Amino acid sequence: MIARDQLRRRSSEDAWIITAPLILLAVACATLTGLVADRPFGDWHWAALLLAAMIAAGLPLLVLVVRRQSVAMTLTELPLVLALYFLPPLTVVVIYTLASLVTQLRHRITAPKVWFNVARAAAGTSLATLLLQALPPRSGVGPATWVSLCCATSVVILVSLTAVASVHTLLQGWQAGRETLRAVPSLLLTAGINVSAGLIVLILIRVSWWSLLPLAALAAGLALVYRSYTQFFRQHRTLTDMYELSRAVAASGQDGTLADALLGRVRALMQAEYATLWLPAQGRHPEILLTARVEDSGLLDLSLTPPELREKVLETARPVTVGRGLTSDPEFRASLAERGVKDTVVVPLRSGGVVIGTLEVTNRLADTLYFTQRDISVFETVAAHAAVALENSRLVDRLRHDAYHDALTRLPNRRRITGALEESVKIRAPGEVVALLLFDVDGLRQVNESLGHAAGDKVLTEVANRLRASAPSSALVGRAGGDEFLVTLRLESADAALELAGQLRDQIRDEMVFDALTLDVDTAVGVAVHPDHGSDAATLLLRVDLAATAAKSVPGSVQLFNPALESRSLRRLGLAGDLRRALDQDELEVYFQPKVTLRDRRLVGVECLARWEHPTHGTVAPEDFVAVAEHTGQLSRLTEVVLREGLRRSRDWAQADQPLSIAVNLAARTLTDQHFPDRVHELLTEYGVPAQRLTLEITEAGVLDGTDRPIPTLRRLRDFGVRLSVDDFGTGDSSLAHLRRLPVHEVKVDRSFVQGMATDPGDLAIVNAVVTLSQQFGLAVVAEGVESELTLELLQDIGCEIGQGFLFSRPLPYERLAAWFGAQVDPESISGTELPRLRVVP
């Protein structure tokens, strides 16, 4: 890469294109001068003295760097004025050319530059002496002499500046030439001062040679002034560059362009060919090696210095310097020379007491310039600012990363997924859909409560790893929060999304082994696609959540969104306020469904069921308003309404010599309320109903959730004498053996098995097993969904004791229940000691 870039620039060897014409100009002008001058050579003793003065005056007081080249400010014009006045013309050319040669050799610059500088010195003085031959002869040191000497000196200066601008343009491009011309005013000002000083010296010498003594003191003072000006100029430029560097670094730290702003300005500040930033790999941040090179607008991923040099800085936490005038490390000097490095400075970047990387500059621009100890001090100050800026930049990056990623799984969070989804739906690709998959981990709450949150975190991390490993490379996998994970990508169709969701779910379902513990984890998956199910990210996220919620009703299923899910969800949302008002105004009604002994058909009790007739929507399904009550904090009020009505009717029946037990359904969340048993006891006392006449029914999923959380509440209720029943038994994953540790009295077989007994031998076998084992455990069995005589006979054959269903009666309001009761009860069966027996239902 370096070689390719060097081919784009002209080599310094090409300077002969300018050097050759300068040599020809020098030879031509010197030849003409020799032909027209009366005495072209002579006065060599004075020439030697002026040669020494020119060599001393050739020391640079101020060096301006233009890209890779330098332009030096010197005092050479002062002895040149004296030489042009006192010496023969070609002698002036010889000593001025020799002084230039000695100066260039002293700086150890390359041969093409030596010959260029010598040629421009010879060309300038040759043309200047030829001009003096064309001007009127000089007499004295009057104004005419001043004009002649100023014209001759100006020719030397103009030839020199023209040559320098030309060679910069040739080697570095027109921009370098333009930058050289920008430095001309400062150079002309210095040259004008030098010429004026030379004329003053000339006048004083002509008055008295003793004036050389104070002039020597004046020259020394002038040199000190120039040196002070040079130091002031450098300090001013350094402070200005440092200020600009600090501003640029502060501005770029927020937008991720810190390296560009830092390296370009460091390279310019240190006047180096290369500036390199190296940051070793740290955490999620990869290794960074970036280099800014003069004349290149971008950054390069390379460095001229070997890695061992940076490793040494990282190890010792001290700067490493190699170069002329520096305390060099000899172990690197040879290898750097082979790489074309004349000098380099590498300093550590410190964050507190830790070295986080290095900053280095290589090859001070201009062959005559090298890095000094003063440069190292400035560079270390720059490195301190850079280290703070880099740490701040990484902190901002870490905060930005944390804002869009989940801390536990390191996956993108909901905000990041939403942003990516918003960008995806903006691009409509024919024949493709943007699929959004939501994975809801089942049973995580039970893991947290049974094994602790650390185990739950391990489950989430493992699910994240499996999704990340199994999902296509084009997919974005994220954690939406809690136990939910999102996957979004482009696919051919909704069917492809369903197929992928099933595959990913299968990958998650594999056993998870944590130490000596093995867990089976399943997920419910919702799927929504753009544009079928939404045109924006918010809508898709809402609808995929509805699909995942629907999938939970069938454990482990994959559910594609459909409009019916949203209409039901919106309806439930609209019912929240109406339910609160209905509870306040006693608009809910309690229905009663009889529970009958199957052997002799005696009425033993009723199940209390809440019903809601909405003035606008009509009859609202119980599962809808119960779900609304759960999510809006009204579940306890709803439960109390049913309990009060049931206990009130039970008291009335007892007063009419028809004592019947009542059964009330409880939601699983009610068992987490530690005050609920006390409230039940208060209501029993208030209505004067014996506790054994109340049965509380809890679904299998609520009472057998894999934890011991409901057990304290159940035991307190049992201690009060309340009967407990497990509702919808058989629909979950529990077994009858789990019931042995629970204080329950009754099992209700789910209607799906009871209704299938007459046609499905499998359902008959399940009901038979439940009845048999329950009786062995001392539990009563209630069969739900008894709707035919055949089902009734089968239940009687297997020994089931109690049933309820449409064969006996649908759920009825209190008034209709009383009428039904009067019509169905056999009067002859009524006695003071037995429950009434129902007539045979045709």
Side-chain angles (χ1 to χ4, degrees), residues 3 29 78 97 106 158 186 209 214 364 397 407 425 448 458 662 702 759:
C29 292
L78 197 154
T97 304
R106 182 178 59 201
L158 291 176
S186 298
W209 285 99
R364 183 73 180 270
D397 180 67
V425 298
N448 287 333
K458 288 182 179 180
I662 62 169
T759 57

Side-chain angles (χ1 to χ4, degrees), residues 638-703:
L638 177 62
T639 304
E640 185 169 338
V641 166
V642 179
L643 271 173
R644 282 186 174 277
E645 181 65 12
L647 292 174
R648 184 165 70 90
R649 297 304 180 185
S650 179
R651 180 192 60 190
D652 294 344
W653 289 325
Q655 292 174 354
D657 294 329
Q658 296 178 356
L660 294 176
S661 65
I662 62 169
V664 176
N665 291 292
L666 294 183
R669 183 173 297 183
T670 304
L671 296 179
T672 63
D673 184 0
Q674 59 182 345
H675 302 295
F676 178 72
D678 294 330
R679 187 58 181 154
V680 171
H681 186 263
E682 292 173 1
L683 292 174
L684 290 170
T685 303
E686 178 181 348
Y687 287 99
V689 176
Q692 64 271 17
R693 204 171 289 172
L694 172 63
T695 300
L696 297 179
E697 298 182 358
I698 308 99
T699 61
E700 178 184 0
V703 73

Side-chain angles (χ1 to χ4, degrees), residues 17-309:
I17 299 176
I18 306 297
T19 303
L22 291 175
I23 294 174
L24 293 177
L25 177 62
V27 171
C29 292
T31 302
L32 290 176
T33 301
L35 294 176
V36 300
D38 295 334
R39 192 167 65 95
F41 294 102
D43 297 334
W44 292 109
H45 56 289
W46 293 111
L49 181 62
L50 288 173
L51 174 61
M54 287 182 179
I55 294 174
L59 293 174
L61 300 176
L62 179 63
V63 179
L64 299 178
V65 177
V66 180
R67 294 180 179 257
R68 295 173 179 268
Q69 309 301 328
S70 62
V71 179
M73 291 184 179
T74 65
L75 297 174
T76 53
E77 290 84 4
L78 197 154
L80 178 60
V81 170
L82 299 178
L84 290 172
Y85 182 83
F86 287 110
L87 298 179
L90 293 186
T91 302
V92 175
V93 174
V94 170
I95 65 171
Y96 193 78
T97 304
L98 284 175
S100 177
L101 178 61
V102 170
T103 300
Q104 305 307 315
L105 293 177
R106 182 178 59 201
H107 291 314
R108 302 178 185 178
I109 60 177
T110 58
K113 292 186 179 182
V114 171
W115 292 119
F116 167 75
N117 289 319
V118 171
R120 71 184 174 91
T125 53
S126 298
L127 185 58
T129 56
L130 181 60
L131 176 62
L132 285 177
Q133 298 304 312
L135 294 175
R138 300 181 299 277
S139 60
V141 289
T145 300
W146 300 349
V147 172
S148 298
L149 293 176
C150 284
C151 289
T153 308
S154 298
V155 167
V156 176
I157 295 172
L158 291 176
V159 169
S160 179
L161 290 177
T162 303
V164 170
S166 300
V167 77
H168 283 181
T169 303
L170 174 69
L171 299 181
Q172 307 297 333
W174 65 271
Q175 291 182 340
R178 187 175 64 179
E179 292 179 13
T180 303
L181 295 177
R182 288 177 179 174
V184 166
S186 298
L187 296 174
L188 289 178
L189 177 61
T190 304
I193 295 174
N194 292 340
V195 170
S196 299
L199 292 174
I200 294 172
V201 171
L202 176 60
I203 294 172
L204 293 175
I205 290 176
R206 292 294 293 170
V207 173
S208 173
W209 285 99
W210 289 105
S211 61
L212 287 175
L213 294 178
L215 286 175
L218 179 62
L222 187 61
L224 291 176
V225 170
Y226 269 109
R227 290 289 183 181
S228 299
Y229 171 74
T230 300
Q231 184 177 5
F232 170 77
F233 179 82
R234 287 176 178 172
Q235 289 176 348
H236 176 72
R237 190 197 65 188
T238 300
L239 289 175
T240 302
D241 290 347
M242 288 286 290
Y243 175 70
E244 293 296 331
L245 174 65
S246 299
R247 288 186 58 188
V249 166
S252 61
Q254 305 294 328
D255 56 13
T257 60
L258 177 60
D260 301 76
L262 174 67
L263 291 178
R265 284 170 172 79
V266 167
R267 190 209 58 73
L269 173 65
M270 301 300 296
Q271 294 184 353
E273 182 179 4
Y274 297 93
T276 301
L277 171 68
W278 176 63
L279 299 173
Q282 179 183 4
R284 65 180 186 83
H285 297 283
E287 181 184 16
I288 294 177
L289 180 63
L290 296 173
T291 297
R293 184 169 60 184
V294 65
E295 301 170 5
D296 285 329
S297 57
L299 298 181
L300 311 176
D301 55 349
L302 53 84
S303 174
L304 288 181
T305 56
E308 294 79 13
L309 192 146

Side-chain angles (χ1 to χ4, degrees), residues 593-599 601 607 747-758 767 771 781-811 820 838 841-842:
Q593 185 174 26
K595 298 170 68 175
V596 178
T597 58
L598 301 182
R599 182 63 58 187
R601 301 193 186 188
E607 181 178 0
V747 173
K748 296 187 73 173
V749 185
D750 187 69
R751 69 181 66 251
S752 61
F753 300 112
V754 174
Q755 291 174 351
M757 289 175 59
V767 176
V771 172
V781 182
V782 178
E784 295 183 291
V786 182
E787 298 182 358
S788 68
E789 287 290 343
L790 178 56
T791 301
L792 176 62
E793 292 177 2
L794 292 173
L795 289 171
Q796 289 175 341
D797 292 342
I798 63 177
C800 184
E801 303 168 354
I802 302 171
Q804 65 181 93
F806 291 173
L807 178 64
F808 307 115
S809 175
R810 295 176 179 272
W820 174 88
L838 303 181
V841 180

